[in-house]
Amino acid sequence: MPQNKHDTGDLLLGFLGGGMMAEAIIRGILGKKVLKPDSIYVCELLEHRREALSTFGVKTTDTASSMLERCNVVILAVKPDVVPLVLGQISSIKPKSQDHTLYVSICAGVTLEALCPPLEEKKMWVRVMPNQPCVVGEAASAFAMNERCSAKHRQIVNQLLGACGAVVEVPEKNLDAVTGLSGSGPAFVFMMIEAMTDAGVRKGLLRTVASKLAAQTVLGAAKMALEFPERHPAELRNRVESPGGTTIAGTVALESGGFRAAVINAVSQATDRSEELGKHK
């Protein structure tokens, strides 16, 4: 193994689980040329998934031990109920081979304490909350690190996740709010696109035309908000609203329908549910 295991050129990335989120991250990493295919390993039990992932040029296996011993960054991309089994596999690796390994979990609701219990040997763990748009390279991801992680580990996480979209670091206590906002948020946006499409159809547009216009409108507005972060969203909205015009008539209708309150409540309710689910894990 290389002496400085986290130099970019020496990074060997392993995935425990080869589902769609793992594939999306691999696509981003390879697309942005963060790593070469022969630096990525995937452990996946399903043969058809191994075959699909091997088309990217990455190395695949159905056995975790060899991959865990080889890689210096390991991403857990399994369902939450499989995590205890996977943690057992990680613990079975000889300590000398994992002293410098960085472990990253994208498993929803699994806390850093659950990943690395206080009474067990401390490993370097990062907990990540990505969201579904990761599959199109536009993820909104947030992560929290345990106390063993360093600035170098932060750089690695930003580099890997940044290949798939936007990434921010937050205290772990805020990850439930992240789940409610960006984790559940795409569903809320899809509802808005659906409603805008229906409105267009109601007023005479073909559904295919209305759907395309609605989705592109959301995409364009989001891009403006990202590219002009110094401008409050209300300012950007005001720039569209002409005195006595069509847009102000529409925003008044949204206000009278409780639009903002409904969105705030949706994110708050999703956050509360995330907290509830976390208590039962």
Coordinates of all heavy atoms in Angstrom, one line a residue, residues 176-177 179-181 184-185 188 191 257-274:
D176 N -30.7 15.5 9.6 CA -32.2 15.3 9.5 C -32.8 16.4 8.7 O -33.7 16.2 7.8 CB -32.8 15.1 10.8 CG -32.5 13.8 11.5 OD1 -32.6 12.8 10.8 OD2 -32.2 13.8 12.7
A177 N -32.4 17.7 8.9 CA -32.9 18.8 8.2 C -32.5 18.7 6.7 O -33.3 19.1 5.8 CB -32.4 20.1 8.8
T179 N -32.1 15.9 5.1 CA -33.0 14.9 4.6 C -34.3 15.5 4.2 O -34.8 15.2 3.2 CB -33.2 13.8 5.6 OG1 -31.9 13.2 5.9 CG2 -34.1 12.7 5.1
G180 N -34.8 16.4 5.1 CA -36.1 17.0 4.8 C -36.1 18.0 3.7 O -37.1 18.1 2.9
L181 N -34.9 18.7 3.5 CA -34.8 19.7 2.5 C -34.4 19.1 1.2 O -35.2 19.1 0.2 CB -33.8 20.8 3.0 CG -33.5 21.9 2.0 CD1 -34.8 22.6 1.6 CD2 -32.5 22.9 2.5
S184 N -35.7 14.9 0.5 CA -37.1 14.8 0.1 C -37.5 15.9 -0.9 O -38.5 15.7 -1.7 CB -38.1 15.0 1.3 OG -37.8 14.0 2.3
G185 N -36.7 16.9 -1.0 CA -37.1 18.1 -1.8 C -37.4 17.8 -3.3 O -38.3 18.4 -3.9
F188 N -40.9 17.2 -3.9 CA -41.7 18.4 -3.9 C -41.6 19.2 -5.2 O -42.6 19.8 -5.7 CB -41.3 19.3 -2.7 CG -41.2 18.6 -1.3 CD1 -40.3 19.0 -0.4 CD2 -42.0 17.5 -1.1 CE1 -40.3 18.4 0.8 CE2 -41.9 16.8 0.1 CZ -41.1 17.3 1.1
M191 N -43.6 17.6 -7.8 CA -45.1 17.9 -7.7 C -45.3 19.3 -8.3 O -46.4 19.5 -8.9 CB -45.5 18.0 -6.2 CG -45.6 16.6 -5.5 SD -46.1 16.7 -3.8 CE -47.9 17.1 -4.1
G257 N -53.0 31.0 -1.7 CA -53.1 29.5 -1.6 C -52.2 28.9 -0.5 O -52.2 27.7 -0.3
G258 N -51.4 29.8 0.1 CA -50.5 29.3 1.2 C -49.3 28.6 0.7 O -48.8 27.6 1.3
F259 N -48.8 28.9 -0.5 CA -47.7 28.2 -1.2 C -46.5 28.1 -0.3 O -46.0 27.0 -0.1 CB -47.4 28.9 -2.5 CG -46.3 28.2 -3.3 CD1 -46.4 27.0 -3.9 CD2 -45.0 28.8 -3.3 CE1 -45.4 26.4 -4.6 CE2 -44.0 28.2 -4.0 CZ -44.1 27.0 -4.6
R260 N -46.0 29.2 0.1 CA -44.7 29.2 0.9 C -44.9 28.5 2.2 O -44.1 27.7 2.6 CB -44.3 30.7 1.2 CG -43.6 31.3 -0.1 CD -42.9 32.5 0.3 NE -43.8 33.6 0.8 CZ -43.3 34.8 1.1 NH1 -42.0 35.1 1.1 NH2 -44.2 35.7 1.5
A261 N -46.0 28.7 2.9 CA -46.3 28.0 4.1 C -46.4 26.5 3.9 O -45.9 25.7 4.7 CB -47.6 28.5 4.8
A262 N -47.0 26.1 2.8 CA -47.1 24.6 2.5 C -45.7 24.0 2.3 O -45.4 22.9 2.7 CB -47.9 24.4 1.3
V263 N -44.8 24.7 1.6 CA -43.5 24.2 1.3 C -42.7 24.1 2.6 O -42.0 23.1 2.9 CB -42.7 25.1 0.3 CG1 -41.3 24.7 0.2 CG2 -43.4 25.0 -1.1
I264 N -42.8 25.2 3.4 CA -42.1 25.2 4.7 C -42.5 24.0 5.6 O -41.8 23.3 6.2 CB -42.3 26.5 5.4 CG1 -41.6 27.7 4.7 CG2 -41.8 26.5 6.9 CD1 -41.9 29.1 5.2
N265 N -43.8 23.8 5.6 CA -44.4 22.7 6.4 C -44.0 21.4 5.8 O -43.7 20.4 6.6 CB -45.9 22.8 6.4 CG -46.6 21.9 7.4 OD1 -46.1 21.8 8.6 ND2 -47.7 21.2 7.1
A266 N -43.9 21.2 4.5 CA -43.5 20.0 3.9 C -42.1 19.6 4.3 O -41.8 18.5 4.7 CB -43.6 20.0 2.4
V267 N -41.2 20.6 4.2 CA -39.8 20.3 4.6 C -39.7 20.0 6.1 O -38.9 19.1 6.6 CB -38.9 21.5 4.2 CG1 -37.5 21.3 4.8 CG2 -38.8 21.7 2.7
S268 N -40.4 20.8 6.9 CA -40.4 20.6 8.4 C -40.9 19.2 8.7 O -40.4 18.5 9.6 CB -41.2 21.6 9.1 OG -40.7 22.9 8.8
Q269 N -42.0 18.8 8.1 CA -42.6 17.5 8.4 C -41.7 16.3 8.0 O -41.5 15.3 8.7 CB -44.0 17.3 7.7 CG -45.1 18.2 8.2 CD -45.6 17.7 9.6 OE1 -45.5 16.5 9.9 NE2 -46.1 18.6 10.4
A270 N -41.0 16.5 6.8 CA -40.1 15.5 6.4 C -38.9 15.4 7.3 O -38.4 14.3 7.6 CB -39.6 15.8 5.0
T271 N -38.4 16.5 7.8 CA -37.3 16.6 8.8 C -37.8 15.8 10.1 O -37.0 15.0 10.6 CB -36.9 18.0 9.1 OG1 -36.5 18.7 7.9 CG2 -35.8 18.0 10.2
D272 N -38.9 16.1 10.6 CA -39.4 15.5 11.8 C -39.5 14.0 11.6 O -39.2 13.2 12.5 CB -40.8 16.1 12.2 CG -40.8 17.5 12.6 OD1 -39.7 18.0 12.9 OD2 -41.8 18.1 12.7
R273 N -40.0 13.6 10.5 CA -40.1 12.1 10.2 C -38.7 11.5 10.1 O -38.6 10.3 10.6 CB -40.8 11.9 8.9 CG -41.1 10.4 8.5 CD -41.8 9.7 9.6 NE -42.1 8.3 9.3 CZ -42.3 7.4 10.1 NH1 -42.4 7.6 11.4 NH2 -42.6 6.1 9.7
S274 N -37.8 12.2 9.6 CA -36.4 11.6 9.6 C -35.8 11.4 11.0 O -35.2 10.4 11.3 CB -35.5 12.6 8.8 OG -34.1 12.1 8.8

